[in-house]
Each structure stands twice: as structure tokens, then as C-alpha cells.
Amino acid sequence: MQLFLRICFIALLMNSFVSVGANNTIPVEHFSKDLAYSQIKISPGGEFLAFVSKVEGKKNLYILDLKSYKIISGISFTGNGQVGDYVWANNERIVVEKQYLRGWSAHPEYRGELMAMNSDGSHQRYLVGYLGEMQTGSAIRKSTPLRGTSYILDSLPDDSNHILVVTYPWRIVKEPKTVVYRVNIHSGIRKRVAGSPSKMGRYLTDHQGNVRIVISTDDYIHQSIHIREKRGEKWKPLPLQNTTLQDVTPWSFDKSGKHAFIAASESGGPKGIYKLNLATGATEKVFQDNEVSPTNVWVDDFTKEVFAIELEAGYPSYAFVDSQSRNSKKLKSLLATFPNSQVHLVSTSKDNKRSIAFVWSDKNPGQYYLYDENKGKLTFLFAQRGWILADQMSETKPIKFKARDGITLHGYLTLPKGKEAKNLPLVVMPHGGPHGPRDYWRFDADSQLLASRGIAVLKVNFRGSGGYGRKFEVAGYRQWGNAIQHDIIDATRYVIQSGYADEKNMCIMGASFGGYSALQSAIIEPELFKCAVGVVGVYDLPLMFKEGDVADHKSGRNYLSQVLGTDQQELSAFSPSYNIDKLKAPVLIVHGGEDERAPIEQAESLIKSLKAAEHSYKYMLLESEGHGFYQEKHRTEYYKTVLAFLDEHLKL
């Protein structure tokens, strides 16, 4: 074991170094390389540190003794197994998800299995999963198979022997009623403690670990809220007095246990934070921003109290619910220590005296620090990408403008370092989704790679994006090929008019819905872009109802009907595959052969139309990849292909 750990640690240290090109151009590998360190969490007692790092393409977990700063144990699964998410279940025991790298696909697959191990590597066992534990040969009760996908719901900080898991049972119904179990972290023996009254239930536990709130749905559109008392009686519905509140997300209970903090959108506006009375359904607004919904609501790991609300209209910022709490004071101090950066308190010891701070910015991919309150000391731990030098990276600045119909839109513009911010070559990069995701101010490898080659990069949170309220998101429904693309085009014209970009030297590229947008925007404005790059994109909207994992589920089909509509003529009119005659830009198509979200049939539909029209295109197929590129070597190959294509069509 010790020899194995030393070898692995040397390997992951070697992962931190990449040689710089002789011509001072930052190598492509700097941007495609896997994170050296991630998922860093301190033990409840503050004695140990756990972190995840990839070795030979697989994620391993390591335990570091904070006294000696030596690795004392780790988890590395054999075969195609690797570490997923994990929690410290108590100061000595850790519970880990086991993922699998499928033989025909590079993307990890989670089958609901949880493993447990002590911090010193002892007492490893299979805790939860479909395999269970053999019952023969012993009278001792053992854990039985659990046929479902299980996730850790609550580590139960005040119970050193159990955790709560939520399980999505494997049944004929693809969106089942979920179940919560209390699981013994030593034996794997479990007890059912709750089940959702409707499908796809999401739960919230109180400060004592009692399952008290569930939000679920029967029609996959409308939510229902149910509550119960601490003793675990039957669920009872809790209608909200304010019937204009939608998209409710529960975050935490208050100290009394009589109220819960929820995020919700009122009358379609940006989400606010409300205090929900569990006896009456009355709500009291605690905080709301006029422009954006909270990016995150920060809850203490152990007291489970909300202490900060993170926002990002342009640059990230915080609103403090309790400005005098220990976490709030600590966060304010760290923000002052790292100007022009954002700080997250990602993990804290139970006594709150030791914390892990993650510091990042548009130029800094992220660094982890240990903050010791007793010593008043901040110690550097790890850099996620130690080979990236922040002073070589390019600035990303927020932008804000009006679309053609007067709606206010936000976006981000990355300007290449060392070049005058005037008449630059530009790549427009729409995000995926489109409903739910949005772009943020942060380090982005794609943007920084292009900027390192002298190209400005534009991202826009078009209507339909998440983070700006229900009304803004719904404004993008049935507008995939129309108003959303107009927003992207208007953002491009805003950057041109502001003098940043050369209107005769621009391309557009994106992934998933962004790949769709790259083609669709270039069809709507055929003279605007010199080239278009579609990555794991959808190009044939009628096909979305027949192929892919969205169409496999009733909720997915309901979603498609709601956001796309069912008018076949309109769907075809908004599909690049049916409108190649309007396209002038040469095209690069990049797709994963095992993509389940945008299956390979989408790329094949577009290629068939391009061939029929004798339109210029290039095609890159990564057969073992899915909806995004998991393997480092594939990302490198992809980046080099994109750079060569842009170099062919842009003046750099």
C-alpha cells in the first residue's frame, strides 16, 4: 500500500508540470490537461485532508495528515473503477462513490455504489449498491443489494455511525418515487426512513438530520411541497400562501426548526431567498437581487445555517445573511486578502477553526488554502492547474447591453493579453442548455486558449438562460432558432460597435445547444461569420423527439414539447439540417460517438445535408467520447483541430 501511494503521489506531482513552448506560445496541453487536484475536504476534527487527483486517467482519493503533510492512505479502484464524490462521515471514516469508465466510452458512469474506508486505509467495505454482501456462511446480518442509484443526502454530523442516502430505484418507470435510507457506515445495514409522495422527490433534512421536507412532481412541470414532523409521521402537503412563487429550491432550516430557507422566483423574476413558515406556508423575503438569482446559497457544513448568498450579475459578490457569523467574518477577511478574486469556503472542521478556502478568478484556475483560525495562519495547499500562470492569462470583463427588442442582456468578453482591445478577431461562443445554464466570470480554458492566440471571445446570457428568473428563462421557449439567436447576433454587433471586434474577422463556435447556435446564427446572418464550429450539437430538432436520453423519459418529452413546441414545420424551419441552402460559412463538426444527449444521429443528419448541398465542412469524430470530452488526449486533439480550423478562416 505505501509503495503504491508513493508511486501515485510522484505521478500526480509530475502531472503538475508541462514544458513551455520554445516560441513562448502557451502549449495547447496547458489548457487540455486534467486538474491536478480537486474535491478537497477537511475532516470534521481538522486532522486530515482528503483530495482527488487523476493518475493514468482515473480519479483516486488520497488522505493527507495535516501534522506531517504526508499521504497516509488512499482509494484506487481496480479495473475501470474510479472515485466519484465523497464525504467525511465522521473524523475517521470516509464514504466514496464508485464510478466506472465504460470500456466503450471514456465518460464515467455511476451505478449507485458507495464504499467506506477509515482515514488510515483500514476497514474498507462495500456499503451500498446493487451487489450487496453475501449472506451465506454467517448468521451475522449483512447489507443486502439495493437496486437503485444512491447519493449521499446528509453525512449526519452528530451521528458518528450513520449517513442518509437518497435512492432512485431501478424500476420500469424511469422517474420513480425516491427513497431515503439511514445507512450504518461500518456494516452497511440500512433502514428506510422516508419515501417521496410524488415522483423524483428532493429532500431537506433539519439540523438533527430528520427528513422534514420533500419537493416532488407528478406531471414533471408543477411542484408540490410536503412536510412532516421530526418524529417521521406521514407527509402532508404545504401549499404556499404566496401563489406567485415558482421553482422552489429548499436550502436549510433556521435554528428553531420551524422555518426553512428556500429560493424561489416570484412572479417570474430573479430568485430570492425566503423564510418559509412550516406551519402556515407563509413566506418572508430575506433577500433578492434585482437582476440575478443567487449563484449559490452557502450553508455551514455542521450548524446547517445559511450565512452567505453568492451573486453574479457581472463580477461575483456576496450578500451576508448574518454578517456577524464566524463564517461570514472569515469569508470577508479572505476576500480582503485576495483582491480581484472570488473565495469559496469549500470545507470546514466541526469546531470551525480550520477551513479550506478555494481562491479563483478569470485568470487564476483556482488554488486551495488552509486557514487556521487559532494560529491566524493561511497556508497554500494545492493549485488546480499549477502550470497555468495567471499573469500570462487574459482578462474577462462583464458586458451589459440592450437587445433589439429592449430586453437587457449580460455577457462576458475575454480580451487577449498584450493586444490592443480594438478590431480584434472574434469568436462568439454561445453556451449550452439553453434553459438553466448560463455563463459566469471565471477561468475558462476554451476562452483562454483562444485568447492566447490573439482571439477575443464573446459569451452572452441570451434569453432562456438560467439565473435571471423564470420569466427570462421562459422568454426563450420556442425561440431556439429565432429570438435566442437574435440575442447572440445582437451581442456580436454590440461588441463590433464598441470597437472591440473586426466585423470581417469573426467565427462562431459552441457545444451542445451552443453547437446548434453556431450553425443557426450563421444561417440567420450568413455574411456575419467566416466559419462555424459545432461541438456535440443538435442540428435536427424533430430528431430530438426520437433519439437521445431526453426523449427516453416522459419528463424529457414534456420538456421538449414545452420548450420547442410540436409544430413540425416550425421545428424544421429552426433546424440547421433543413436550411443548409442559407448557410455560407464553412463548418467544423466535432462529435462524440457515445453521446447520449445529442446522439451521433444529430451529426449525421447535418453531414448528410452538407454533402447534398456540396457545402464545405470538416468532421472530427471521437468515437469513445460522450457529450463532452473526458479524456485529456481527446481534448488536446480537439483543441488543435479547432485552432487549425480557425487559423484557416480568421486573420490572426
Side-chain angles (χ1 to χ4, degrees), residues 181-200:
Y181 296 96
R182 178 178 281 106
V183 179
N184 187 294
I185 60 174
H186 307 287
S187 67
I189 301 300
R190 65 182 180 272
K191 179 182 178 181
R192 188 182 190 275
V193 296
S196 61
S198 303
K199 296 176 181 178
M200 304 303 286

mmCIF file with all atom_site columns, all heavy atoms in Angstrom, residues 181-200:
data_model
loop_
_atom_site.group_PDB
_atom_site.id
_atom_site.type_symbol
_atom_site.label_atom_id
_atom_site.label_alt_id
_atom_site.label_comp_id
_atom_site.label_asym_id
_atom_site.label_entity_id
_atom_site.label_seq_id
_atom_site.pdbx_PDB_ins_code
_atom_site.Cartn_x
_atom_site.Cartn_y
_atom_site.Cartn_z
_atom_site.occupancy
_atom_site.B_iso_or_equiv
_atom_site.pdbx_formal_charge
_atom_site.auth_seq_id
_atom_site.auth_comp_id
_atom_site.auth_asym_id
_atom_site.auth_atom_id
_atom_site.pdbx_PDB_model_num
ATOM 1   N N   . TYR A 1 181 ? -32.700 6.299  2.994   1.00 0.00 ? 181 TYR A N   1
ATOM 2   C CA  . TYR A 1 181 ? -32.295 5.268  3.949   1.00 0.00 ? 181 TYR A CA  1
ATOM 3   C C   . TYR A 1 181 ? -31.274 5.836  4.928   1.00 0.00 ? 181 TYR A C   1
ATOM 4   O O   . TYR A 1 181 ? -30.428 6.661  4.547   1.00 0.00 ? 181 TYR A O   1
ATOM 5   C CB  . TYR A 1 181 ? -31.651 4.076  3.234   1.00 0.00 ? 181 TYR A CB  1
ATOM 6   C CG  . TYR A 1 181 ? -32.564 3.324  2.298   1.00 0.00 ? 181 TYR A CG  1
ATOM 7   C CD1 . TYR A 1 181 ? -32.577 3.613  0.939   1.00 0.00 ? 181 TYR A CD1 1
ATOM 8   C CD2 . TYR A 1 181 ? -33.406 2.311  2.767   1.00 0.00 ? 181 TYR A CD2 1
ATOM 9   C CE1 . TYR A 1 181 ? -33.399 2.919  0.066   1.00 0.00 ? 181 TYR A CE1 1
ATOM 10  C CE2 . TYR A 1 181 ? -34.238 1.611  1.895   1.00 0.00 ? 181 TYR A CE2 1
ATOM 11  C CZ  . TYR A 1 181 ? -34.228 1.919  0.554   1.00 0.00 ? 181 TYR A CZ  1
ATOM 12  O OH  . TYR A 1 181 ? -35.049 1.234  -0.303  1.00 0.00 ? 181 TYR A OH  1
ATOM 13  N N   . ARG A 1 182 ? -31.345 5.372  6.177   1.00 0.00 ? 182 ARG A N   1
ATOM 14  C CA  . ARG A 1 182 ? -30.267 5.607  7.130   1.00 0.00 ? 182 ARG A CA  1
ATOM 15  C C   . ARG A 1 182 ? -29.344 4.398  7.044   1.00 0.00 ? 182 ARG A C   1
ATOM 16  O O   . ARG A 1 182 ? -29.775 3.260  7.231   1.00 0.00 ? 182 ARG A O   1
ATOM 17  C CB  . ARG A 1 182 ? -30.796 5.777  8.553   1.00 0.00 ? 182 ARG A CB  1
ATOM 18  C CG  . ARG A 1 182 ? -29.670 5.970  9.583   1.00 0.00 ? 182 ARG A CG  1
ATOM 19  C CD  . ARG A 1 182 ? -30.186 6.191  10.994  1.00 0.00 ? 182 ARG A CD  1
ATOM 20  N NE  . ARG A 1 182 ? -30.623 7.582  11.160  1.00 0.00 ? 182 ARG A NE  1
ATOM 21  C CZ  . ARG A 1 182 ? -31.885 7.978  11.213  1.00 0.00 ? 182 ARG A CZ  1
ATOM 22  N NH1 . ARG A 1 182 ? -32.870 7.078  11.114  1.00 0.00 ? 182 ARG A NH1 1
ATOM 23  N NH2 . ARG A 1 182 ? -32.203 9.245  11.358  1.00 0.00 ? 182 ARG A NH2 1
ATOM 24  N N   . VAL A 1 183 ? -28.068 4.648  6.743   1.00 0.00 ? 183 VAL A N   1
ATOM 25  C CA  . VAL A 1 183 ? -27.123 3.567  6.479   1.00 0.00 ? 183 VAL A CA  1
ATOM 26  C C   . VAL A 1 183 ? -26.019 3.573  7.523   1.00 0.00 ? 183 VAL A C   1
ATOM 27  O O   . VAL A 1 183 ? -25.407 4.623  7.794   1.00 0.00 ? 183 VAL A O   1
ATOM 28  C CB  . VAL A 1 183 ? -26.507 3.707  5.069   1.00 0.00 ? 183 VAL A CB  1
ATOM 29  C CG1 . VAL A 1 183 ? -25.497 2.600  4.812   1.00 0.00 ? 183 VAL A CG1 1
ATOM 30  C CG2 . VAL A 1 183 ? -27.592 3.689  4.002   1.00 0.00 ? 183 VAL A CG2 1
ATOM 31  N N   . ASN A 1 184 ? -25.743 2.419  8.102   1.00 0.00 ? 184 ASN A N   1
ATOM 32  C CA  . ASN A 1 184 ? -24.630 2.268  9.032   1.00 0.00 ? 184 ASN A CA  1
ATOM 33  C C   . ASN A 1 184 ? -23.324 2.264  8.245   1.00 0.00 ? 184 ASN A C   1
ATOM 34  O O   . ASN A 1 184 ? -23.141 1.443  7.334   1.00 0.00 ? 184 ASN A O   1
ATOM 35  C CB  . ASN A 1 184 ? -24.777 0.963  9.823   1.00 0.00 ? 184 ASN A CB  1
ATOM 36  C CG  . ASN A 1 184 ? -23.741 0.834  10.919  1.00 0.00 ? 184 ASN A CG  1
ATOM 37  O OD1 . ASN A 1 184 ? -22.546 0.716  10.657  1.00 0.00 ? 184 ASN A OD1 1
ATOM 38  N ND2 . ASN A 1 184 ? -24.199 0.852  12.158  1.00 0.00 ? 184 ASN A ND2 1
ATOM 39  N N   . ILE A 1 185 ? -22.406 3.168  8.573   1.00 0.00 ? 185 ILE A N   1
ATOM 40  C CA  . ILE A 1 185 ? -21.187 3.333  7.782   1.00 0.00 ? 185 ILE A CA  1
ATOM 41  C C   . ILE A 1 185 ? -20.148 2.252  8.067   1.00 0.00 ? 185 ILE A C   1
ATOM 42  O O   . ILE A 1 185 ? -19.110 2.190  7.395   1.00 0.00 ? 185 ILE A O   1
ATOM 43  C CB  . ILE A 1 185 ? -20.555 4.721  8.005   1.00 0.00 ? 185 ILE A CB  1
ATOM 44  C CG1 . ILE A 1 185 ? -20.182 4.926  9.480   1.00 0.00 ? 185 ILE A CG1 1
ATOM 45  C CG2 . ILE A 1 185 ? -21.484 5.814  7.511   1.00 0.00 ? 185 ILE A CG2 1
ATOM 46  C CD1 . ILE A 1 185 ? -19.413 6.213  9.737   1.00 0.00 ? 185 ILE A CD1 1
ATOM 47  N N   . HIS A 1 186 ? -20.413 1.405  9.047   1.00 0.00 ? 186 HIS A N   1
ATOM 48  C CA  . HIS A 1 186 ? -19.498 0.309  9.365   1.00 0.00 ? 186 HIS A CA  1
ATOM 49  C C   . HIS A 1 186 ? -19.982 -1.014 8.782   1.00 0.00 ? 186 HIS A C   1
ATOM 50  O O   . HIS A 1 186 ? -19.188 -1.797 8.260   1.00 0.00 ? 186 HIS A O   1
ATOM 51  C CB  . HIS A 1 186 ? -19.326 0.180  10.873  1.00 0.00 ? 186 HIS A CB  1
ATOM 52  C CG  . HIS A 1 186 ? -18.928 1.448  11.546  1.00 0.00 ? 186 HIS A CG  1
ATOM 53  N ND1 . HIS A 1 186 ? -17.659 1.979  11.443  1.00 0.00 ? 186 HIS A ND1 1
ATOM 54  C CD2 . HIS A 1 186 ? -19.650 2.310  12.324  1.00 0.00 ? 186 HIS A CD2 1
ATOM 55  C CE1 . HIS A 1 186 ? -17.605 3.117  12.127  1.00 0.00 ? 186 HIS A CE1 1
ATOM 56  N NE2 . HIS A 1 186 ? -18.789 3.342  12.669  1.00 0.00 ? 186 HIS A NE2 1
ATOM 57  N N   . SER A 1 187 ? -21.299 -1.256 8.862   1.00 0.00 ? 187 SER A N   1
ATOM 58  C CA  . SER A 1 187 ? -21.842 -2.547 8.433   1.00 0.00 ? 187 SER A CA  1
ATOM 59  C C   . SER A 1 187 ? -22.589 -2.492 7.110   1.00 0.00 ? 187 SER A C   1
ATOM 60  O O   . SER A 1 187 ? -22.761 -3.509 6.448   1.00 0.00 ? 187 SER A O   1
ATOM 61  C CB  . SER A 1 187 ? -22.795 -3.085 9.505   1.00 0.00 ? 187 SER A CB  1
ATOM 62  O OG  . SER A 1 187 ? -23.955 -2.257 9.589   1.00 0.00 ? 187 SER A OG  1
ATOM 63  N N   . GLY A 1 188 ? -23.060 -1.307 6.722   1.00 0.00 ? 188 GLY A N   1
ATOM 64  C CA  . GLY A 1 188 ? -23.878 -1.191 5.518   1.00 0.00 ? 188 GLY A CA  1
ATOM 65  C C   . GLY A 1 188 ? -25.341 -1.503 5.762   1.00 0.00 ? 188 GLY A C   1
ATOM 66  O O   . GLY A 1 188 ? -26.169 -1.384 4.843   1.00 0.00 ? 188 GLY A O   1
ATOM 67  N N   . ILE A 1 189 ? -25.704 -1.923 6.984   1.00 0.00 ? 189 ILE A N   1
ATOM 68  C CA  . ILE A 1 189 ? -27.110 -2.191 7.300   1.00 0.00 ? 189 ILE A CA  1
ATOM 69  C C   . ILE A 1 189 ? -27.888 -0.891 7.188   1.00 0.00 ? 189 ILE A C   1
ATOM 70  O O   . ILE A 1 189 ? -27.456 0.158  7.673   1.00 0.00 ? 189 ILE A O   1
ATOM 71  C CB  . ILE A 1 189 ? -27.251 -2.784 8.716   1.00 0.00 ? 189 ILE A CB  1
ATOM 72  C CG1 . ILE A 1 189 ? -26.449 -4.085 8.831   1.00 0.00 ? 189 ILE A CG1 1
ATOM 73  C CG2 . ILE A 1 189 ? -28.711 -3.022 9.055   1.00 0.00 ? 189 ILE A CG2 1
ATOM 74  C CD1 . ILE A 1 189 ? -26.874 -5.157 7.862   1.00 0.00 ? 189 ILE A CD1 1
ATOM 75  N N   . ARG A 1 190 ? -29.039 -0.946 6.562   1.00 0.00 ? 190 ARG A N   1
ATOM 76  C CA  . ARG A 1 190 ? -29.813 0.271  6.308   1.00 0.00 ? 190 ARG A CA  1
ATOM 77  C C   . ARG A 1 190 ? -31.255 0.132  6.795   1.00 0.00 ? 190 ARG A C   1
ATOM 78  O O   . ARG A 1 190 ? -31.783 -0.974 6.924   1.00 0.00 ? 190 ARG A O   1
ATOM 79  C CB  . ARG A 1 190 ? -29.810 0.609  4.815   1.00 0.00 ? 190 ARG A CB  1
ATOM 80  C CG  . ARG A 1 190 ? -30.499 -0.410 3.949   1.00 0.00 ? 190 ARG A CG  1
ATOM 81  C CD  . ARG A 1 190 ? -30.418 -0.057 2.460   1.00 0.00 ? 190 ARG A CD  1
ATOM 82  N NE  . ARG A 1 190 ? -31.087 -1.062 1.642   1.00 0.00 ? 190 ARG A NE  1
ATOM 83  C CZ  . ARG A 1 190 ? -30.490 -2.158 1.173   1.00 0.00 ? 190 ARG A CZ  1
ATOM 84  N NH1 . ARG A 1 190 ? -29.212 -2.374 1.437   1.00 0.00 ? 190 ARG A NH1 1
ATOM 85  N NH2 . ARG A 1 190 ? -31.173 -3.031 0.445   1.00 0.00 ? 190 ARG A NH2 1
ATOM 86  N N   . LYS A 1 191 ? -31.877 1.290  6.997   1.00 0.00 ? 191 LYS A N   1
ATOM 87  C CA  . LYS A 1 191 ? -33.280 1.352  7.405   1.00 0.00 ? 191 LYS A CA  1
ATOM 88  C C   . LYS A 1 191 ? -33.969 2.436  6.595   1.00 0.00 ? 191 LYS A C   1
ATOM 89  O O   . LYS A 1 191 ? -33.462 3.559  6.486   1.00 0.00 ? 191 LYS A O   1
ATOM 90  C CB  . LYS A 1 191 ? -33.405 1.653  8.895   1.00 0.00 ? 191 LYS A CB  1
ATOM 91  C CG  . LYS A 1 191 ? -34.841 1.748  9.385   1.00 0.00 ? 191 LYS A CG  1
ATOM 92  C CD  . LYS A 1 191 ? -34.895 2.093  10.865  1.00 0.00 ? 191 LYS A CD  1
ATOM 93  C CE  . LYS A 1 191 ? -36.351 2.234  11.339  1.00 0.00 ? 191 LYS A CE  1
ATOM 94  N NZ  . LYS A 1 191 ? -36.418 2.601  12.766  1.00 0.00 ? 191 LYS A NZ  1
ATOM 95  N N   . ARG A 1 192 ? -35.107 2.116  6.032   1.00 0.00 ? 192 ARG A N   1
ATOM 96  C CA  . ARG A 1 192 ? -35.876 3.093  5.261   1.00 0.00 ? 192 ARG A CA  1
ATOM 97  C C   . ARG A 1 192 ? -36.473 4.113  6.213   1.00 0.00 ? 192 ARG A C   1
ATOM 98  O O   . ARG A 1 192 ? -37.127 3.757  7.193   1.00 0.00 ? 192 ARG A O   1
ATOM 99  C CB  . ARG A 1 192 ? -36.985 2.386  4.485   1.00 0.00 ? 192 ARG A CB  1
ATOM 100 C CG  . ARG A 1 192 ? -37.748 3.266  3.498   1.00 0.00 ? 192 ARG A CG  1
ATOM 101 C CD  . ARG A 1 192 ? -38.853 2.425  2.842   1.00 0.00 ? 192 ARG A CD  1
ATOM 102 N NE  . ARG A 1 192 ? -39.491 3.085  1.734   1.00 0.00 ? 192 ARG A NE  1
ATOM 103 C CZ  . ARG A 1 192 ? -40.512 3.946  1.835   1.00 0.00 ? 192 ARG A CZ  1
ATOM 104 N NH1 . ARG A 1 192 ? -40.985 4.253  3.034   1.00 0.00 ? 192 ARG A NH1 1
ATOM 105 N NH2 . ARG A 1 192 ? -41.039 4.492  0.754   1.00 0.00 ? 192 ARG A NH2 1
ATOM 106 N N   . VAL A 1 193 ? -36.248 5.416  5.930   1.00 0.00 ? 193 VAL A N   1
ATOM 107 C CA  . VAL A 1 193 ? -36.776 6.457  6.811   1.00 0.00 ? 193 VAL A CA  1
ATOM 108 C C   . VAL A 1 193 ? -37.753 7.390  6.109   1.00 0.00 ? 193 VAL A C   1
ATOM 109 O O   . VAL A 1 193 ? -38.492 8.124  6.775   1.00 0.00 ? 193 VAL A O   1
ATOM 110 C CB  . VAL A 1 193 ? -35.641 7.287  7.445   1.00 0.00 ? 193 VAL A CB  1
ATOM 111 C CG1 . VAL A 1 193 ? -34.778 6.419  8.341   1.00 0.00 ? 193 VAL A CG1 1
ATOM 112 C CG2 . VAL A 1 193 ? -34.781 7.976  6.381   1.00 0.00 ? 193 VAL A CG2 1
ATOM 113 N N   . ALA A 1 194 ? -37.779 7.376  4.783   1.00 0.00 ? 194 ALA A N   1
ATOM 114 C CA  . ALA A 1 194 ? -38.709 8.270  4.076   1.00 0.00 ? 194 ALA A CA  1
ATOM 115 C C   . ALA A 1 194 ? -38.840 7.836  2.627   1.00 0.00 ? 194 ALA A C   1
ATOM 116 O O   . ALA A 1 194 ? -37.923 7.250  2.049   1.00 0.00 ? 194 ALA A O   1
ATOM 117 C CB  . ALA A 1 194 ? -38.240 9.723  4.135   1.00 0.00 ? 194 ALA A CB  1
ATOM 118 N N   . GLY A 1 195 ? -39.977 8.156  2.030   1.00 0.00 ? 195 GLY A N   1
ATOM 119 C CA  . GLY A 1 195 ? -40.226 7.965  0.612   1.00 0.00 ? 195 GLY A CA  1
ATOM 120 C C   . GLY A 1 195 ? -41.007 9.140  0.088   1.00 0.00 ? 195 GLY A C   1
ATOM 121 O O   . GLY A 1 195 ? -41.833 9.725  0.802   1.00 0.00 ? 195 GLY A O   1
ATOM 122 N N   . SER A 1 196 ? -40.768 9.533  -1.148  1.00 0.00 ? 196 SER A N   1
ATOM 123 C CA  . SER A 1 196 ? -41.427 10.730 -1.674  1.00 0.00 ? 196 SER A CA  1
ATOM 124 C C   . SER A 1 196 ? -42.875 10.438 -2.044  1.00 0.00 ? 196 SER A C   1
ATOM 125 O O   . SER A 1 196 ? -43.185 9.365  -2.572  1.00 0.00 ? 196 SER A O   1
ATOM 126 C CB  . SER A 1 196 ? -40.676 11.261 -2.899  1.00 0.00 ? 196 SER A CB  1
ATOM 127 O OG  . SER A 1 196 ? -40.644 10.302 -3.929  1.00 0.00 ? 196 SER A OG  1
ATOM 128 N N   . PRO A 1 197 ? -43.796 11.365 -1.779  1.00 0.00 ? 197 PRO A N   1
ATOM 129 C CA  . PRO A 1 197 ? -45.199 11.174 -2.126  1.00 0.00 ? 197 PRO A CA  1
ATOM 130 C C   . PRO A 1 197 ? -45.461 11.243 -3.624  1.00 0.00 ? 197 PRO A C   1
ATOM 131 O O   . PRO A 1 197 ? -46.453 10.705 -4.114  1.00 0.00 ? 197 PRO A O   1
ATOM 132 C CB  . PRO A 1 197 ? -45.909 12.318 -1.386  1.00 0.00 ? 197 PRO A CB  1
ATOM 133 C CG  . PRO A 1 197 ? -44.853 13.363 -1.221  1.00 0.00 ? 197 PRO A CG  1
ATOM 134 C CD  . PRO A 1 197 ? -43.559 12.638 -1.076  1.00 0.00 ? 197 PRO A CD  1
ATOM 135 N N   . SER A 1 198 ? -44.574 11.936 -4.348  1.00 0.00 ? 198 SER A N   1
ATOM 136 C CA  . SER A 1 198 ? -44.682 12.023 -5.810  1.00 0.00 ? 198 SER A CA  1
ATOM 137 C C   . SER A 1 198 ? -43.329 11.645 -6.403  1.00 0.00 ? 198 SER A C   1
ATOM 138 O O   . SER A 1 198 ? -42.389 11.315 -5.685  1.00 0.00 ? 198 SER A O   1
ATOM 139 C CB  . SER A 1 198 ? -45.080 13.437 -6.243  1.00 0.00 ? 198 SER A CB  1
ATOM 140 O OG  . SER A 1 198 ? -46.293 13.830 -5.632  1.00 0.00 ? 198 SER A OG  1
ATOM 141 N N   . LYS A 1 199 ? -43.226 11.713 -7.716  1.00 0.00 ? 199 LYS A N   1
ATOM 142 C CA  . LYS A 1 199 ? -42.018 11.259 -8.391  1.00 0.00 ? 199 LYS A CA  1
ATOM 143 C C   . LYS A 1 199 ? -40.858 12.242 -8.230  1.00 0.00 ? 199 LYS A C   1
ATOM 144 O O   . LYS A 1 199 ? -41.050 13.437 -8.073  1.00 0.00 ? 199 LYS A O   1
ATOM 145 C CB  . LYS A 1 199 ? -42.311 11.032 -9.870  1.00 0.00 ? 199 LYS A CB  1
ATOM 146 C CG  . LYS A 1 199 ? -43.318 9.907  -10.114 1.00 0.00 ? 199 LYS A CG  1
ATOM 147 C CD  . LYS A 1 199 ? -43.662 9.768  -11.578 1.00 0.00 ? 199 LYS A CD  1
ATOM 148 C CE  . LYS A 1 199 ? -44.681 8.646  -11.793 1.00 0.00 ? 199 LYS A CE  1
ATOM 149 N NZ  . LYS A 1 199 ? -45.064 8.513  -13.206 1.00 0.00 ? 199 LYS A NZ  1
ATOM 150 N N   . MET A 1 200 ? -39.666 11.673 -8.289  1.00 0.00 ? 200 MET A N   1
ATOM 151 C CA  . MET A 1 200 ? -38.419 12.441 -8.315  1.00 0.00 ? 200 MET A CA  1
ATOM 152 C C   . MET A 1 200 ? -38.289 13.392 -7.126  1.00 0.00 ? 200 MET A C   1
ATOM 153 O O   . MET A 1 200 ? -37.905 14.546 -7.257  1.00 0.00 ? 200 MET A O   1
ATOM 154 C CB  . MET A 1 200 ? -38.291 13.209 -9.632  1.00 0.00 ? 200 MET A CB  1
ATOM 155 C CG  . MET A 1 200 ? -38.366 12.326 -10.872 1.00 0.00 ? 200 MET A CG  1
ATOM 156 S SD  . MET A 1 200 ? -37.110 11.021 -10.892 1.00 0.00 ? 200 MET A SD  1
ATOM 157 C CE  . MET A 1 200 ? -35.663 11.975 -11.281 1.00 0.00 ? 200 MET A CE  1
#
